[in-house]
Amino acid sequence: MSDNSSNTTPATPAAGWFPHPSPDAAPGTEMYWDGAQWRTAMVRRDGVAVSPTAVMNAPAREAAAQDAADGATAGAAVKRPWYARKAIVIPAAVVGGFIMIAGIGGAMGGGDDEVADAASVVQTDESLVSQPEPEAEPEPVMVMVPNVVGMDGASARAALEALGFDTTFDGDETMPVIAQGVAEGTEMEEGSTIALTLEEKPQLTLGQENAIRSAQSYLSFTGFSRAGLFQQLTSEYGEGFEAADAEFALAHLEQNGLVDWNAEAVESAESYLEFTSFSRQGLFDQLTSEYGEGFTPDQANHALAAVGY
C-alpha cells in the first residue's frame, strides 16, 4: 500500500480556546479560535474574561496557530502548514484583527469620552425637541380713568380700586378730592397708580372740637333730634356753646356719617314706650313737638313704623 499522506489536506484546528498568539500577552492569556479565524473580542486570562488590549502580530499568531494545529492532530504526520495554503485569507484576517483590537483599545481608553459626548448630543437634541414653545406675553389690560374730583378720599379710592387702579394721597380721606394725577378719559394699564390731591382739613377751634365731642356724648346716651341736640348744646341750662360752634358740630356729624336722625327718632320712640303707653297720635305729637323731641314729621313717621304703629 502506498503512502498518500502527502496528498492529505492538513486539518484545521477545531474551535476552542488557545494560548494568546501575541508575544506581548501576559502568561495564561487565551484567545478564542472559531475554526476559521481568531475572535479578537474573546480573550480571557486564567479562565476569566478580560479586555483584548494585547496587540496581535502576524508571526506570533502563525506560531500559535501552528502549535494549535500540531496539538489538534495529536501526532499526525507533519504536513504542509494549513496557513500556507491560505496565504491570501490570513493577511486579511491579520489586518482585521489589528483593526478590531485598535478599535477596542480606543473604546477602552478614550472611547468613554466619545460615547459620553454622543450621549450628550443625543440628550441635548431631545431636550431641544421636547422643550415647549415660550408663551407669548399677555397683552396689557387698558382701563379708562374716571373722574373722581369732588368725591371724598375714601370713596374715590374705592372707585379707582374697583377698576384695578392703585391710589396714593396724603391727608384725611374724609376730605374731598380736589385734583387727580391722571386726567379723566385717559387709558392706563390695569394696576397703574393714580395720585389724588385732597382738600386740606381745616384746623378746628377749641370750641368746635369740644362741641363735637359733647354732641357725640349726648347721642351715645339717648335719642336726639337735630333741633333737640342743638338746643341742648346751646342752652344756658345745657352746655352753653356758641350757636356757631354747635351748628359746626352738628354739620360735622352729618357730613362724616356720624349721625342718622331717623335712627335717633326710633331710639327716642322706643324709650317713650318703655316708660309709658302712648297712642300713635300721642307718640307722634311727643316726637314732633317743640316742647318734646323736635323731630320732623317724616322722622317721626319712620319711628312709628319701626315700633309697629
Side-chain angles (χ1 to χ4, degrees), residues 68-161:
D70 293 344
T73 56
V78 177
K79 301 178 180 63
R80 185 184 179 195
W82 62 271
Y83 57 82
R85 304 181 63 195
K86 300 181 181 291
I88 296 176
V89 176
I90 290 175
V94 171
V95 173
F98 275 115
I99 294 173
M100 184 175 294
I101 291 173
I104 294 172
M108 294 182 63
D112 290 344
D113 294 337
E114 296 177 359
V115 172
D117 292 342
S120 174
V121 171
V122 172
Q123 183 176 4
T124 302
D125 290 344
E126 290 178 352
S127 65
L128 290 175
V129 171
S130 61
Q131 186 174 4
E133 289 291 333
E135 295 184 2
E137 290 291 331
E139 290 292 331
V141 178
M142 305 302 291
V143 183
M144 186 175 293
V145 177
N147 179 26
V148 295
V149 174
M151 296 183 182
D152 61 79
S155 299
R157 179 183 61 186
L160 292 173
E161 288 180 352

Coordinates of all heavy atoms in Angstrom, one line a residue, residues 68-161:
A68 N -1.3 25.2 17.7 CA -2.7 24.6 17.9 C -3.0 23.5 17.0 O -3.6 22.5 17.3 CB -3.7 25.8 17.7
A69 N -2.5 23.7 15.7 CA -2.7 22.6 14.7 C -2.0 21.4 15.1 O -2.5 20.3 15.0 CB -2.3 23.1 13.3
D70 N -0.7 21.5 15.5 CA 0.0 20.4 15.9 C -0.6 19.6 17.1 O -0.7 18.4 17.1 CB 1.5 20.8 16.3 CG 2.2 21.3 15.1 OD1 1.8 21.1 14.0 OD2 3.2 22.0 15.3
G71 N -1.1 20.4 18.0 CA -1.8 19.7 19.2 C -3.1 19.1 18.7 O -3.4 18.0 19.3
A72 N -3.8 19.6 17.8 CA -5.1 19.1 17.4 C -4.9 17.8 16.6 O -5.7 16.9 16.7 CB -5.9 20.1 16.5
T73 N -3.8 17.7 15.8 CA -3.6 16.4 15.0 C -3.1 15.3 15.9 O -3.2 14.1 15.5 CB -2.6 16.7 13.9 OG1 -1.4 17.2 14.5 CG2 -3.2 17.8 13.0
A74 N -2.6 15.6 17.1 CA -2.2 14.6 18.1 C -1.3 13.5 17.5 O -1.6 12.3 17.4 CB -3.4 13.9 18.6
G75 N -0.1 14.0 17.0 CA 0.9 13.1 16.5 C 0.8 12.7 15.0 O 1.5 11.8 14.6
A76 N -0.1 13.3 14.3 CA -0.2 13.0 12.9 C 1.1 13.4 12.2 O 1.8 14.3 12.6 CB -1.4 13.8 12.3
A77 N 1.3 12.9 11.0 CA 2.5 13.2 10.2 C 2.5 14.6 9.9 O 1.5 15.3 9.7 CB 2.5 12.3 8.9
V78 N 3.7 15.2 9.9 CA 3.9 16.6 9.6 C 3.5 16.8 8.1 O 4.0 16.1 7.2 CB 5.4 17.0 9.8 CG1 5.6 18.4 9.4 CG2 5.8 16.7 11.2
K79 N 2.6 17.7 8.0 CA 2.1 18.1 6.6 C 2.4 19.5 6.4 O 2.8 20.3 7.2 CB 0.6 17.7 6.5 CG 0.3 16.3 6.8 CD -1.1 16.0 6.7 CE -1.4 14.6 7.0 NZ -1.1 14.1 8.4
R80 N 2.0 19.9 5.2 CA 2.2 21.3 4.8 C 1.3 22.2 5.7 O 0.1 21.9 5.8 CB 1.7 21.5 3.3 CG 2.0 22.9 2.8 CD 1.5 23.0 1.4 NE 1.6 24.3 0.8 CZ 1.0 24.8 -0.2 NH1 0.2 24.0 -0.9 NH2 1.3 26.0 -0.7
P81 N 1.8 23.2 6.3 CA 1.0 24.1 7.2 C -0.3 24.5 6.5 O -0.2 25.0 5.4 CB 1.9 25.2 7.6 CG 3.3 24.7 7.3 CD 3.2 23.7 6.2
W82 N -1.4 24.5 7.3 CA -2.6 24.9 6.7 C -2.7 26.4 6.3 O -3.3 26.8 5.3 CB -3.8 24.6 7.7 CG -3.7 25.4 9.0 CD1 -3.1 25.0 10.1 CD2 -4.2 26.7 9.2 NE1 -3.1 25.9 11.1 CE2 -3.9 27.0 10.6 CE3 -5.0 27.6 8.5 CZ2 -4.2 28.2 11.2 CZ3 -5.3 28.8 9.1 CH2 -4.9 29.1 10.4
Y83 N -1.9 27.2 7.1 CA -2.0 28.6 6.8 C -1.3 29.0 5.6 O -1.5 30.0 5.0 CB -1.4 29.4 8.0 CG 0.0 29.1 8.4 CD1 1.1 29.6 7.8 CD2 0.2 28.2 9.5 CE1 2.3 29.3 8.1 CE2 1.5 27.9 9.9 CZ 2.6 28.4 9.2 OH 3.8 28.1 9.6
A84 N -0.3 28.0 5.1 CA 0.5 28.3 3.9 C -0.4 28.2 2.7 O -0.2 28.9 1.7 CB 1.6 27.4 3.8
R85 N -1.5 27.4 2.8 CA -2.4 27.3 1.7 C -3.5 28.4 1.7 O -4.3 28.4 0.8 CB -3.1 25.9 1.8 CG -2.1 24.8 1.8 CD -2.8 23.4 1.8 NE -3.5 23.3 0.6 CZ -4.5 22.4 0.5 NH1 -4.8 21.6 1.4 NH2 -5.1 22.3 -0.7
K86 N -3.5 29.2 2.7 CA -4.4 30.3 2.8 C -3.7 31.6 3.0 O -4.0 32.5 3.8 CB -5.4 30.1 4.0 CG -6.2 28.8 3.9 CD -7.1 28.7 5.1 CE -7.9 27.4 5.0 NZ -8.9 27.4 4.0
A87 N -2.7 31.8 2.1 CA -1.9 33.0 2.2 C -2.6 34.3 2.0 O -2.2 35.3 2.5 CB -0.7 32.9 1.3
I88 N -3.7 34.2 1.2 CA -4.4 35.4 0.9 C -5.4 35.7 2.1 O -5.6 36.8 2.5 CB -5.2 35.2 -0.4 CG1 -4.2 35.1 -1.5 CG2 -6.1 36.4 -0.6 CD1 -4.8 34.8 -2.9
V89 N -6.0 34.7 2.7 CA -7.0 34.9 3.7 C -6.4 35.4 5.0 O -6.9 36.2 5.7 CB -7.8 33.6 3.9 CG1 -8.8 33.8 5.1 CG2 -8.5 33.1 2.7
I90 N -5.2 34.8 5.3 CA -4.6 35.1 6.6 C -4.3 36.6 6.8 O -4.6 37.2 7.8 CB -3.4 34.2 6.9 CG1 -3.9 32.8 7.1 CG2 -2.6 34.7 8.1 CD1 -2.8 31.8 7.3
P91 N -3.6 37.2 5.7 CA -3.3 38.6 5.9 C -4.5 39.5 6.1 O -4.5 40.4 6.9 CB -2.6 39.0 4.6 CG -2.0 37.7 4.1 CD -2.9 36.6 4.5
A92 N -5.6 39.1 5.4 CA -6.8 39.9 5.6 C -7.3 39.7 7.1 O -7.8 40.7 7.7 CB -7.9 39.4 4.7
A93 N -7.2 38.5 7.6 CA -7.6 38.3 9.0 C -6.7 39.0 9.9 O -7.2 39.6 11.0 CB -7.6 36.8 9.3
V94 N -5.4 39.1 9.6 CA -4.5 39.8 10.5 C -4.9 41.3 10.5 O -4.9 41.9 11.6 CB -3.0 39.6 10.0 CG1 -2.1 40.6 10.8 CG2 -2.6 38.2 10.2
V95 N -5.1 41.9 9.3 CA -5.5 43.3 9.3 C -6.8 43.5 10.0 O -6.9 44.5 10.8 CB -5.6 43.7 7.8 CG1 -6.2 45.2 7.7 CG2 -4.3 43.7 7.1
G96 N -7.7 42.6 9.8 CA -9.0 42.7 10.6 C -8.8 42.7 12.1 O -9.4 43.4 12.9
G97 N -7.8 41.8 12.5 CA -7.6 41.7 13.9 C -7.0 42.9 14.5 O -7.3 43.4 15.5
F98 N -6.0 43.5 13.7 CA -5.4 44.8 14.2 C -6.5 45.9 14.3 O -6.5 46.6 15.3 CB -4.3 45.2 13.2 CG -3.0 44.6 13.5 CD1 -2.4 43.7 12.6 CD2 -2.3 44.9 14.7 CE1 -1.2 43.2 12.9 CE2 -1.1 44.3 15.0 CZ -0.5 43.4 14.1
I99 N -7.3 45.9 13.3 CA -8.3 47.0 13.3 C -9.3 46.8 14.5 O -9.6 47.7 15.2 CB -9.1 47.0 12.0 CG1 -8.2 47.4 10.8 CG2 -10.3 47.9 12.1 CD1 -8.8 47.3 9.5
M100 N -9.7 45.5 14.7 CA -10.6 45.3 15.8 C -10.0 45.6 17.2 O -10.6 46.2 18.0 CB -11.1 43.8 15.7 CG -12.2 43.5 16.8 SD -12.8 41.8 16.6 CE -13.6 42.0 15.0
I101 N -8.7 45.1 17.3 CA -8.1 45.3 18.6 C -7.9 46.8 18.8 O -8.1 47.4 19.9 CB -6.7 44.6 18.6 CG1 -7.0 43.1 18.7 CG2 -5.9 45.0 19.9 CD1 -5.7 42.3 18.6
A102 N -7.4 47.6 17.8 CA -7.2 49.0 17.9 C -8.5 49.7 18.3 O -8.6 50.6 19.1 CB -6.7 49.6 16.6
G103 N -9.6 49.2 17.6 CA -10.9 49.8 18.0 C -11.4 49.6 19.4 O -11.9 50.4 20.1
I104 N -11.1 48.3 19.8 CA -11.5 48.0 21.2 C -10.6 48.8 22.2 O -11.1 49.3 23.2 CB -11.3 46.5 21.5 CG1 -12.4 45.7 20.6 CG2 -11.5 46.1 22.9 CD1 -12.2 44.2 20.6
G105 N -9.3 48.9 21.9 CA -8.4 49.6 22.8 C -8.8 51.1 22.8 O -8.8 51.7 23.9
G106 N -9.2 51.6 21.7 CA -9.7 53.0 21.7 C -10.9 53.2 22.5 O -11.1 54.2 23.2
A107 N -11.8 52.2 22.4 CA -13.0 52.3 23.2 C -12.7 52.3 24.7 O -13.4 52.9 25.5 CB -14.0 51.2 22.8
M108 N -11.7 51.4 25.1 CA -11.4 51.3 26.5 C -10.6 52.5 27.0 O -10.7 52.9 28.2 CB -10.5 50.0 26.7 CG -11.2 48.7 26.4 SD -10.2 47.3 26.7 CE -9.9 47.5 28.5
G109 N -9.9 53.2 26.1 CA -9.1 54.3 26.5 C -9.9 55.6 26.4 O -10.5 56.1 27.4
G110 N -10.0 56.2 25.2 CA -10.7 57.4 25.0 C -12.1 57.3 24.5 O -12.8 58.2 24.3
G111 N -12.5 56.0 24.3 CA -13.8 55.7 23.8 C -14.9 56.2 24.7 O -16.0 56.6 24.3
D112 N -14.7 56.1 26.0 CA -15.7 56.5 27.0 C -16.1 58.0 26.8 O -17.3 58.3 26.9 CB -15.2 56.3 28.4 CG -15.1 54.8 28.8 OD1 -15.7 54.0 28.0 OD2 -14.4 54.5 29.7
D113 N -15.1 58.8 26.5 CA -15.4 60.2 26.3 C -16.2 60.4 25.0 O -17.1 61.2 25.0 CB -14.1 61.0 26.2 CG -13.3 61.0 27.5 OD1 -14.0 60.8 28.5 OD2 -12.1 61.3 27.4
E114 N -15.9 59.6 24.0 CA -16.6 59.8 22.7 C -18.1 59.4 23.0 O -19.0 60.0 22.5 CB -16.0 59.0 21.6 CG -14.6 59.4 21.3 CD -14.0 58.6 20.2 OE1 -14.6 57.6 19.8 OE2 -12.8 58.8 19.8
V115 N -18.3 58.2 23.7 CA -19.6 57.8 24.0 C -20.4 58.8 24.8 O -21.6 59.1 24.5 CB -19.6 56.4 24.7 CG1 -21.0 56.0 25.1 CG2 -19.0 55.3 23.8
A116 N -19.7 59.3 25.8 CA -20.3 60.4 26.6 C -20.7 61.6 25.8 O -21.8 62.1 26.0 CB -19.4 60.8 27.8
D117 N -19.8 62.0 24.9 CA -20.1 63.1 24.0 C -21.3 62.8 23.1 O -22.2 63.7 23.0 CB -18.9 63.5 23.1 CG -17.8 64.0 24.0 OD1 -18.0 64.4 25.1 OD2 -16.6 64.0 23.5
A118 N -21.4 61.6 22.6 CA -22.5 61.2 21.7 C -23.8 61.2 22.5 O -24.8 61.7 22.0 CB -22.3 59.9 21.1
A119 N -23.7 60.7 23.7 CA -24.9 60.7 24.6 C -25.4 62.1 24.9 O -26.6 62.4 24.9 CB -24.7 59.9 25.8
S120 N -24.4 62.9 25.1 CA -24.7 64.3 25.5 C -25.4 65.0 24.3 O -26.3 65.7 24.5 CB -23.4 65.1 25.8 OG -23.7 66.4 26.0
V121 N -24.9 64.7 23.1 CA -25.5 65.3 21.9 C -26.9 64.8 21.7 O -27.8 65.6 21.5 CB -24.7 65.0 20.6 CG1 -25.4 65.4 19.4 CG2 -23.3 65.7 20.7
V122 N -27.1 63.5 21.9 CA -28.5 63.0 21.8 C -29.4 63.6 22.8 O -30.5 64.0 22.6 CB -28.4 61.4 21.9 CG1 -29.9 60.9 22.0 CG2 -27.7 60.8 20.8
Q123 N -28.9 63.7 24.1 CA -29.7 64.2 25.1 C -30.1 65.7 24.9 O -31.2 66.1 25.1 CB -29.0 64.1 26.5 CG -29.8 64.6 27.7 CD -29.1 64.4 29.0 OE1 -27.9 63.9 29.0 NE2 -29.7 64.7 30.1
T124 N -29.1 66.4 24.4 CA -29.3 67.8 24.1 C -30.4 68.0 23.0 O -31.3 68.8 23.0 CB -28.0 68.5 23.6 OG1 -27.0 68.4 24.7 CG2 -28.2 70.0 23.3
D125 N -30.2 67.1 21.9 CA -31.2 67.2 20.8 C -32.6 66.9 21.4 O -33.6 67.5 21.0 CB -30.8 66.2 19.7 CG -29.6 66.7 19.0 OD1 -29.2 67.9 19.2 OD2 -28.9 65.9 18.3
E126 N -32.7 65.9 22.2 CA -34.0 65.5 22.7 C -34.6 66.6 23.6 O -35.8 66.9 23.5 CB -33.9 64.3 23.6 CG -33.6 63.0 22.8 CD -33.5 61.8 23.6 OE1 -33.4 61.9 24.9 OE2 -33.4 60.7 23.1
S127 N -33.8 67.3 24.4 CA -34.3 68.4 25.2 C -34.8 69.6 24.3 O -35.7 70.2 24.6 CB -33.2 68.9 26.2 OG -32.1 69.4 25.4
L128 N -34.1 69.8 23.2 CA -34.5 70.8 22.3 C -35.8 70.5 21.6 O -36.7 71.4 21.5 CB -33.4 71.1 21.2 CG -32.1 71.7 21.7 CD1 -31.1 71.8 20.6 CD2 -32.4 73.1 22.3
V129 N -36.0 69.2 21.3 CA -37.2 68.8 20.7 C -38.4 68.9 21.6 O -39.5 69.3 21.3 CB -37.1 67.4 20.1 CG1 -38.4 66.9 19.6 CG2 -36.1 67.4 19.0
S130 N -38.2 68.5 22.9 CA -39.3 68.4 23.8 C -39.6 69.7 24.5 O -40.6 69.8 25.2 CB -39.0 67.3 24.9 OG -37.8 67.7 25.6
Q131 N -38.7 70.7 24.4 CA -38.9 72.0 25.1 C -40.1 72.7 24.4 O -40.1 72.9 23.2 CB -37.6 72.8 25.0 CG -37.8 74.1 25.8 CD -36.4 74.8 25.8 OE1 -35.5 74.4 25.2 NE2 -36.4 75.9 26.5
P132 N -41.1 73.1 25.3 CA -42.2 73.8 24.7 C -41.9 75.2 24.2 O -40.9 75.8 24.6 CB -43.2 73.9 25.9 CG -42.3 73.8 27.1 CD -41.2 73.0 26.7
E133 N -42.7 75.6 23.3 CA -42.5 77.0 22.8 C -42.8 78.0 23.9 O -43.8 77.8 24.7 CB -43.5 77.2 21.6 CG -43.2 76.5 20.4 CD -41.9 77.0 19.7 OE1 -41.6 78.2 19.9 OE2 -41.2 76.2 19.0
P134 N -42.0 79.1 24.0 CA -42.3 80.1 25.1 C -43.6 80.7 24.8 O -44.0 81.0 23.7 CB -41.1 81.1 24.9 CG -40.6 80.9 23.5 CD -40.8 79.4 23.2
E135 N -44.4 80.9 25.9 CA -45.7 81.6 25.8 C -45.5 83.1 25.5 O -44.6 83.7 26.0 CB -46.5 81.4 27.1 CG -46.8 79.9 27.4 CD -47.7 79.8 28.6 OE1 -48.0 80.8 29.2 OE2 -48.0 78.6 29.0
A136 N -46.4 83.5 24.7 CA -46.3 85.0 24.4 C -46.8 85.8 25.5 O -47.6 85.4 26.3 CB -47.3 85.2 23.2
E137 N -46.2 86.9 25.7 CA -46.5 87.8 26.8 C -48.0 88.3 26.6 O -48.4 88.7 25.5 CB -45.6 89.1 26.8 CG -44.2 88.8 27.2 CD -44.1 88.4 28.7 OE1 -45.0 88.9 29.5 OE2 -43.2 87.6 29.1
P138 N -48.8 88.3 27.7 CA -50.2 88.7 27.5 C -50.3 90.2 27.2 O -49.4 91.0 27.7 CB -50.8 88.3 28.9 CG -49.7 88.3 29.8 CD -48.5 87.8 29.0
E139 N -51.2 90.6 26.5 CA -51.4 92.0 26.2 C -51.9 92.7 27.4 O -52.7 92.2 28.2 CB -52.5 92.1 25.1 CG -52.1 91.7 23.7 CD -51.0 92.5 23.1 OE1 -51.0 93.7 23.5 OE2 -50.2 92.0 22.4
P140 N -51.4 93.9 27.7 CA -51.8 94.6 28.9 C -53.3 95.0 28.8 O -53.8 95.3 27.8 CB -50.9 95.9 29.0 CG -50.5 96.0 27.5 CD -50.4 94.6 26.9
V141 N -54.0 95.0 30.0 CA -55.4 95.4 30.0 C -55.4 96.9 30.3 O -54.9 97.4 31.2 CB -56.1 94.7 31.2 CG1 -57.5 95.1 31.3 CG2 -56.0 93.2 31.0
M142 N -56.0 97.6 29.3 CA -56.1 99.1 29.4 C -57.5 99.5 30.0 O -58.5 98.9 29.6 CB -55.9 99.7 28.1 CG -54.6 99.3 27.4 SD -53.1 99.7 28.4 CE -53.1 101.5 28.3
V143 N -57.5 100.4 30.9 CA -58.7 100.9 31.6 C -58.8 102.4 31.5 O -57.8 103.1 31.6 CB -58.7 100.4 33.0 CG1 -60.1 100.8 33.7 CG2 -58.5 98.9 33.1
M144 N -60.0 102.9 31.2 CA -60.2 104.3 31.2 C -60.3 104.9 32.6 O -61.1 104.4 33.4 CB -61.4 104.7 30.3 CG -61.6 106.2 30.1 SD -63.0 106.5 28.9 CE -62.3 105.8 27.4
V145 N -59.6 106.0 32.8 CA -59.6 106.7 34.1 C -60.9 107.5 34.3 O -61.2 108.3 33.4 CB -58.4 107.5 34.3 CG1 -58.4 108.3 35.6 CG2 -57.1 106.7 34.2
P146 N -61.7 107.3 35.4 CA -62.9 108.1 35.6 C -62.5 109.4 36.3 O -61.4 109.6 36.7 CB -63.7 107.2 36.5 CG -62.7 106.5 37.3 CD -61.5 106.3 36.4
N147 N -63.5 110.3 36.4 CA -63.4 111.5 37.2 C -63.8 111.3 38.6 O -64.9 110.9 38.9 CB -64.2 112.6 36.5 CG -64.1 113.9 37.3 OD1 -63.1 114.2 38.0 ND2 -65.1 114.8 37.2
V148 N -62.9 111.5 39.6 CA -63.2 111.3 41.0 C -63.1 112.6 41.8 O -63.2 112.6 43.0 CB -62.3 110.2 41.6 CG1 -62.6 108.9 41.0 CG2 -60.8 110.6 41.5
V149 N -62.9 113.7 41.1 CA -62.8 115.0 41.7 C -64.2 115.3 42.4 O -65.2 115.2 41.7 CB -62.4 116.1 40.8 CG1 -62.4 117.5 41.5 CG2 -61.0 115.8 40.2
G150 N -64.1 115.8 43.6 CA -65.4 116.1 44.4 C -65.8 115.0 45.3 O -66.5 115.2 46.3
M151 N -65.3 113.7 45.0 CA -65.6 112.7 46.0 C -64.7 112.8 47.2 O -63.6 113.4 47.1 CB -65.3 111.3 45.3 CG -66.2 110.9 44.2 SD -65.7 109.2 43.6 CE -66.8 109.1 42.2
D152 N -65.1 112.2 48.3 CA -64.2 112.2 49.4 C -63.1 111.2 49.1 O -63.3 110.3 48.3 CB -65.0 111.9 50.7 CG -65.6 110.5 50.7 OD1 -64.9 109.5 50.9 OD2 -66.9 110.5 50.5
G153 N -62.0 111.3 49.8 CA -60.9 110.4 49.5 C -61.2 108.9 49.6 O -60.8 108.1 48.7
A154 N -62.0 108.5 50.6 CA -62.3 107.1 50.7 C -63.1 106.6 49.5 O -62.9 105.5 49.0 CB -63.1 106.8 52.0
S155 N -64.1 107.4 49.1 CA -65.0 106.9 48.0 C -64.2 106.9 46.7 O -64.4 106.0 45.9 CB -66.2 107.9 47.9 OG -67.0 107.9 49.0
A156 N -63.3 107.9 46.5 CA -62.5 108.0 45.3 C -61.6 106.7 45.2 O -61.4 106.1 44.1 CB -61.7 109.3 45.2
R157 N -61.0 106.4 46.3 CA -60.1 105.3 46.3 C -60.8 104.0 46.0 O -60.4 103.2 45.2 CB -59.4 105.1 47.7 CG -58.5 103.9 47.8 CD -57.9 103.8 49.2 NE -59.0 103.6 50.2 CZ -58.9 103.5 51.5 NH1 -57.6 103.7 52.0 NH2 -59.9 103.3 52.3
A158 N -62.0 103.8 46.6 CA -62.8 102.6 46.3 C -63.2 102.5 44.8 O -63.2 101.4 44.2 CB -64.1 102.6 47.2
A159 N -63.6 103.7 44.2 CA -64.0 103.7 42.8 C -62.8 103.3 41.9 O -63.0 102.5 40.9 CB -64.5 105.0 42.5
L160 N -61.6 103.8 42.2 CA -60.5 103.5 41.4 C -60.0 102.1 41.6 O -59.6 101.4 40.6 CB -59.4 104.5 41.7 CG -59.6 105.9 41.2 CD1 -58.5 106.9 41.7 CD2 -59.8 106.0 39.7
E161 N -60.0 101.6 42.8 CA -59.6 100.2 43.0 C -60.5 99.2 42.4 O -60.1 98.1 42.0 CB -59.5 100.0 44.5 CG -58.3 100.7 45.2 CD -58.2 100.4 46.7 OE1 -59.1 99.8 47.2 OE2 -57.2 100.8 47.3

